[in-house]
Each structure stands twice: as C-alpha cells, then as structure tokens.
Amino acid sequence: MEIVSHSFEDLVVELRKTVGEQFVSDDPEDLIPYLRDSFSALSEKFFGKPAMPRVVVFPGNAEEVQKVVKIANKFRVPVLPVTFGTNMAGITIPTVESSIILDLKRLDRIIEIDEESMTATIEPAVSYGRLDFEARKHGLKTVSKVGGYTGGLVGNFVSANMRPYNARYGWTDPVVSLEVVLPTGELLRTGSQAVPGFETLNPYVRLCFGPDLVGLFRGSLGSFGIITKMVVRLYPVGEKNEFLWYEFSSLKDLLNAIMETQRNDIGNSVMGYNAPGLYSIVTDYEDKKDAEKSRRIKTMIPDSSWYLLIEIEGAAEKVDAERKIVDRICLEKNNGRLVRFTDEKMMRYLQDYTTHRGQAVMHQCNGGFFGFWCCMPLGKIIPFIEEVGPQFEKLELKDLICPDEPLAIRYAIIPFDRGTTMVCGISIEYDPLDSEQTEKLSDTIQPLIITMLKYGGTIPLTMQQLTNMLLMPSYAELIRGIKRLLDPNNILAPNKLC
C-alpha cells in the first residue's frame, strides 16, 4: 500500500502529537518483536512472510485509537491492531510493508463489575486471570477458559472467535456488547449501547435493535474494527467445586464418557487428552530434563491411555449428585479408572490445568508451538486421528528437550454444544531454530487442512488464504464486500481476513 502525498516523517510527527512522544516508536528494536509469535515460523509458507512495520503506537483510550485510525486513512498506511495475550498463528504478524502496529496494552481497565447483571465492562488488555481475580471478590467468575490466565478475552472471544466450553451454561458466548472503532475512525456501539447514553445506563443486552452486530466482529481478526471496550458475561461462583480425573484404555471409551457427561449437563471444564497430553500437563521443564524422573512419570501414564479432566461446581448437594453420576458413567459404563498421583506437584498441575490457571498451561510451551484445532462430529474423531497420526510419524521428528526420543503428538478432545460436536486439538512443541524440523512441520499444514475437510472439520477463524481456498464463492465475496463497505481504504489488517 503506497503512502500518498505525505512522508513517513510527517506520519510519525502526527502520531506523536496524538498519543504522546513516549508512546510512539520507530526504533527497530521495538518493531522486531512484532514479526514473530510461537507459530509464525511454521505458517510463513502458508500465510505469508512477515513484513517490517514502520512504527508502533500505544494509544491510551478509544479517542486516541480513533485519531490514529483517521491519521492512517489520511496517509493511506495500513494498521494492524494487537491485543493483549498469547498471540499465535500469525494473526497479529504484519504482512504488508511499513504498517502501523496499534498496540492496545495501555487499554487495560476493568471499568465495571456489575453484580446484578453479572457482567464486566473491560478494555482489550484485560486478561482472564486478572478479571477472574477481581470478579471473585463479587462472588462471580469468568467462564471456562480457552487459554491460560495470561490470555486476553477480547482477542480470544472476538478477534479470534474462540468459544469457551461449559456444559453447565450450554453453548457459551459470553460477549454481550462492544465499543468498536471502525476502519474509518468512527465509533460504533452494539446491542443496547447503540442508543446514545445506554453505554452507561444499560449496556447489558446483546440482541436488540435489529441484527446481531457483535457477530459481525467475531472472527474478523481486527479487519472490521478495533474493539476498545467489551461487556462480557460473568457467572456465579458455586458453593462447592470438585475435580475429577479418569483414565481410559481406548479413545472410544473416552468419547462415550464425554458424550454421556455432556448430555447430563455435567461439568464446568471438560477435556480429554492422550498420554503425551497428560504428561505435558503434569510435568515441567525440570521434570522432563531429569531422565530418571521422566521415565518414572511415564510409567504412571501408559502410552495407549486417554484421560478425562472434569471440574464440577454448584450447590453442595448438586456437586455430590453429579460426582456419583460421573463415576457411574466413567467407571461402570466405560471401563475407566480414577487417576491419582502420589506426587503432590503433579496433582497441583493437574488441578491447575483443569481450571486453566496459568502455570500449568504455560509450562507446556518450552519452545515453538505447533497447534491445529478443528471442530467435527463425534463419530469422525477416531478416523481423523487414525489418519493424521501416521502423517506426523512419517516426519520422524525428535523431542525438543530429549532429542534421543521421538517427538510426542498431543491430542486434546473438548466437547461443544453438549457433546454434539467435539474440538480435536493437535499440539507439538518444536525448536523454531531447527530449520529442518520447522520445514517439515510447515509442510504438514495444508495436508492437515485437507484431512480435516475430509471428516467435516471446521475451524473458528479464517485468513485470506483459507477464505480463498475453503469457502463457497458467495460466502467469501460477502466477507470481502463487508470489508470494502467498512474499510474503503483497506486500512485495517489488510491481507488477514480476506
């Protein structure tokens, strides 16, 4: 994208006047970190190579965001918004030269926690962990996470279209209403906030005054607008909660147990893992590095086993009753056994991960991270895994921490919509400095997508290449048409969504 009739020096001067000298940088050392994330080394071949941005800007409020976007339109310079959290899959990596990185880290306020409506009004740099900590002071909590406590809600729920999973609350979309800076710099509020003054009087209703515009921005990767505030649903903290863990000898037994628990509306957090997945949860780097300890732990986690992690919560009588139902489903009907480790640290990691607290999530990622997640019908999970497994085995990859051992493939199974569909996740830790290993993993992305489509798999977001490759022409053209309507100068996140 060419700058018209102005210089970059003029651009930087205007940006500094708008947000302050200290909140604008064109120093390479400040720009280079935006060129990579934990997955980008793998995705370059498929999603495009990073392009050096020209400047990074840190606005402090929605008004400054509006001014920056208007300046970008004036200079015809692309803007890539970056929210708070663990950015992955190249979503926030610039692919257009000389862009503005709009880093929203300063927008970090929890503006309100409203006990009556059970909502929080937050800015994009608020993390799961911080909001959950504050909400619990009011007897409330965030819904089950789709990432560690360091992840951001706005980036996950809106930009990346992630869906929390929670049988107790059904299909959980906690987004209520949004404040959005459009690609032209105009301000939009959705839901009940569309009435001037309701942003303080009643921002707590999503479906009103016509189409659901929250849905327009979900999965848009920042291409349709920049979220500056979000009203998000909170949930009551139960009188009692309990953590349950079960081992199964087959994936079929695990899937049956998940399906039955979900159809009984049981579980706040419900997740299934294979043996390498559980091993990565209950160990940290030091455990993996200690060969003797690693072998001992692996003897407790048979290679062929699958594991179910459940958190149940509510009134004490309800939790006790649900525990009996889960035991009957897992132990009696599906040949499971209870999981208990004698190692206190392993049990702490297991409990932390079941609620998606930070340490047990973050210690899994010791290097680069390859993650592939898709949603498909229950009956397709087993044949899908049976087909993709050999695809990875042929690569003959080695473990990141113990190079003499083969690289373990971690599978995760997470139910959606009361178990009518399942998320199947594949994750691998790799060395991004190992060019041969990186090349091999990069080459698996397109075959994985093809295999996913064979079994009816879907993903929560799309990118330009996927829009062109996967979607029916009328659907893809509708997305492009919305982009042209909202963003006539193609300023926001060009080449990302469409």
Side-chain angles (χ1 to χ4, degrees), residues 157-176:
F157 288 156
V158 184
S159 296
N161 204 22
M162 296 292 109
R163 291 169 52 183
Y165 43 92
N166 192 305
R168 184 178 179 190
Y169 305 115
W171 189 96
T172 306
D173 183 352
V175 182
V176 179

Side-chain angles (χ1 to χ4, degrees), residues 37 52 73 82 84 88 125 134 189 222 255 289 296 329 396 402-403 416 497:
D37 63 23
M52 189 68 172
N73 276 277
V82 178
F84 176 85
M88 298 172 61
E134 294 299 327
R189 295 189 179 97
L255 292 176
K289 219 32 189 165
R296 178 174 60 81
I329 290 170
E396 297 182 340
C402 304
F416 274 173
L497 181 65

Side-chain angles (χ1 to χ4, degrees), residues 250-303:
S250 72
L251 175 55
K252 181 179 178 180
D253 287 338
L254 168 69
L255 292 176
N256 286 338
I258 290 177
M259 180 185 68
E260 291 187 54
T261 58
Q262 294 302 277
R263 293 186 180 182
N264 281 280
D265 293 336
I266 293 175
N268 288 349
S269 178
V270 179
M271 301 174 284
Y273 291 92
N274 67 341
L278 189 75
Y279 172 79
S280 71
I281 291 169
V282 299
T283 57
D284 54 30
Y285 179 82
E286 295 302 323
D287 298 328
K288 296 179 176 75
K289 219 32 189 165
D290 186 328
E292 182 178 345
K293 186 170 186 180
S294 176
R295 282 194 295 269
R296 178 174 60 81
I297 292 173
K298 286 181 178 179
T299 62
M300 308 177 201
I301 306 172
D303 286 342

